[in-house]
Amino acid sequence: MRGRVFLWCAGGVLVTALAAGGVWWNWFRAPYALADSPGVDVTVRAERSRYPDVRETAEDVDTLVRVYVQRLGAGDAEGLTRLAAPSYRGAEAAAADTVHTYGKAASGHVEVTVLEGVVDYLNPIRVTFEKTGQQQELLLVKDDGHWWLALGEGDPAGGA
């Protein structure tokens, strides 16, 4: 009898652990990641600010901006489109234009400065491409717990 109770409890713990792992995998894991190549040379830093949340945001958006620079340097407009905020439309054309304008510049060192945002779900960044001296201002949008690019046309506060 004790053996059955133990197995039943162990089975319950295993099911709970698997459910928790599934929630983490789908909810907290970013829906984008760096590919194996090409390599990127990106520095992400927070603008000097009296507000600590600027540094926290810089840490939060680090992966997104590295993936952005990687897809840009690879000329991967389709990959950039997948980084667009869910509520944005016309991301395909905007991504193609971005690759055309900044793609070659992304193969060198890139400095990304996270600027002070007005609200906690919108944050501007400045991307400086050292290879060409070009600068780009981008808006990042937080939706469903993840940061996205404001790429195309849309309401940044609209949500999905």
Side-chain angles (χ1 to χ4, degrees):
M1 182 73 165
R2 284 186 183 176
R4 287 184 185 175
V5 171
F6 175 77
L7 286 175
W8 186 80
C9 289
V13 169
L14 180 62
V15 167
T16 302
L18 288 173
V23 167
W24 176 84
W25 184 260
N26 291 316
W27 184 261
F28 297 110
R29 185 181 60 91
Y32 39 76
L34 280 170
D36 292 335
S37 68
V40 293
D41 182 11
V42 179
T43 302
V44 180
R45 63 180 181 81
E47 173 184 51
R48 279 192 168 175
S49 174
R50 60 186 172 154
Y51 301 109
D53 60 331
V54 178
R55 282 189 308 274
E56 292 168 11
T57 301
E59 292 172 10
D60 286 349
V61 303
D62 185 84
T63 299
L64 173 63
V65 297
R66 289 176 187 282
V67 171
Y68 169 72
V69 171
Q70 185 180 54
R71 302 301 190 271
L72 191 58
D76 183 4
E78 184 179 324
L80 282 183
T81 300
R82 289 192 297 272
L83 300 177
S87 62
Y88 276 65
R89 303 294 170 252
E92 297 87 1
D97 184 50
T98 302
V99 166
H100 175 70
T101 305
Y102 301 105
K104 290 183 178 140
S107 64
H109 180 70
V110 178
E111 290 275 338
V112 177
T113 304
V114 177
L115 308 172
E116 281 185 20
V118 178
V119 294
D120 61 354
Y121 55 89
L122 301 174
N123 217 103
I125 63 171
R126 181 183 316 111
V127 183
T128 304
F129 302 95
E130 288 187 2
K131 184 174 183 177
T132 61
Q134 291 173 288
Q135 281 194 345
Q136 178 187 30
E137 300 282 329
L138 286 173
L139 181 64
L140 303 182
V141 178
K142 192 170 191 177
D143 189 11
D144 280 339
H146 301 291
W147 285 98
W148 303 93
L149 299 173
L151 192 61
E153 296 294 323
D155 177 3

